[in-house]
Amino acid sequence: MIIPQVDAICDGGDLDCGSGLLLIIKKNIDPLEVGGVLEIRSREASVEGDLPAWCRMVKHEFLGMADDEGGYKRYFVKKGNGKEERSLEADLEAAKGYKWTVRIQGEKGLTAKVHSRNHTFLVGQPAEFSPKVDAPSAVDFFISSLGSCLTVGFKMLASKNNITIDEFEVTLKGQLENVLYHMELEDIGSPKITKIAGTVYVSSPSDEDLLYQIWEKTIERSPIYQTLKDQVDLDIKFSIVY
């Protein structure tokens, strides 16, 4: 295609249209005059099909796409004069008020079945520490939620800053104050998680200082890390591997 002259550019990284990309697009296209062109840079494959459909719905004109370096595609959208169903401010307020909902059912034995959106999974005993279990414990999921939040959060910020990540891995260990209290084998202490320690390993050709900046921003904007930091001793080291 013939690349049009653009009035603004936004970078969606690996976000898809259902996980925040549309909010980024609306924030950047709203200030443009009717007829203005926005370039959207994205590495998410589903955007190729979803973005034209969204443009038709809100009366913008999808001009086409072009390949770019680093796995990116460039999408071009001309601002239309149709009225969108909701303003950017309304969408932002709706996002702020979103509530995550799960449904949990008791299953056979000491397990529970969790229904979360279109996923279902089993959870075992709250603090089971046997080497082999029928299902991960609630503590396993608790620690995993922190690790996965940091992993995906770092990758998302890296992609938005056009940083290539070769490998990324987090190893975490969690400790309870007294698991025996939870098991009613002792009456002194607390079952609470007191410490989570571990290391983040990242391999990337990018500048070290930039990687550390992305890491600092990751923990600053991590919902799980920021929820835990004042309640649990978090000792997570950031290590660049060559």
Side-chain angles (χ1 to χ4, degrees), residues 40-242:
I40 302 112
R41 303 181 75 245
S42 174
R43 294 196 300 197
E44 167 56 41
S46 64
V47 173
E48 185 174 344
D50 294 343
L51 184 57
W54 177 77
C55 289
R56 290 192 295 270
M57 184 175 65
V58 298
K59 310 304 182 186
H60 294 321
E61 184 181 351
F62 180 74
L63 299 178
M65 55 168 279
D67 291 325
D68 202 359
E69 297 179 355
Y72 271 92
K73 290 186 183 296
R74 303 165 65 193
Y75 300 91
F76 303 93
V77 175
K78 179 187 289 188
K79 183 174 181 178
N81 57 8
K83 292 287 185 180
E84 296 188 14
E85 293 182 0
R86 295 195 304 187
S87 65
L88 172 63
E89 289 74 17
D91 280 340
L92 293 176
E93 286 303 312
K96 289 180 182 179
Y98 184 84
K99 293 180 176 62
W100 279 259
T101 303
V102 297
R103 182 168 59 91
I104 300 95
Q105 294 175 298
E107 288 290 293
K108 294 179 180 180
L110 299 178
T111 62
K113 181 181 288 185
V114 179
H115 303 272
S116 175
R117 286 184 266 194
N118 59 316
H119 293 276
T120 300
F121 53 90
L122 285 178
V123 181
Q125 298 182 52
E128 174 63 65
F129 52 86
S130 300
K132 295 182 179 181
V133 293
D134 293 331
S137 71
V139 174
D140 291 324
F141 278 106
F142 185 88
I143 298 171
S144 298
S145 71
L146 172 61
S148 58
C149 188
L150 296 175
T151 299
V152 179
F154 188 94
K155 290 178 65 180
M156 179 184 70
L157 289 171
S159 71
K160 290 178 68 176
N161 286 272
N162 203 21
I163 294 174
T164 299
I165 302 299
D166 295 328
E167 300 287 344
F168 190 95
E169 184 173 316
V170 182
T171 302
L172 298 176
K173 292 185 178 181
Q175 184 175 356
L176 275 62
E177 182 178 305
N178 188 357
V179 68
L180 300 182
Y181 184 88
H182 160 70
M183 299 170 68
E184 290 192 306
L185 295 175
E186 289 187 2
D187 295 324
I188 298 175
S190 166
K192 69 181 180 181
I193 295 173
T194 56
K195 183 172 183 176
I196 299 176
T199 305
V200 172
Y201 301 95
V202 60
S203 174
S204 170
S206 299
D207 179 72
E208 281 191 17
D209 290 339
L210 185 55
L211 292 173
Y212 277 105
Q213 290 174 21
I214 295 296
W215 171 243
E216 290 298 324
K217 186 177 290 187
T218 298
I219 60 176
E220 177 186 325
R221 295 179 180 269
S222 162
I224 307 300
Y225 187 97
Q226 291 301 318
T227 299
L228 295 179
K229 70 183 178 105
D230 294 328
Q231 306 296 326
V232 178
D233 179 10
L234 299 178
D235 181 14
I236 303 175
K237 297 177 174 60
F238 184 74
S239 176
I240 300 173
V241 180
Y242 299 98

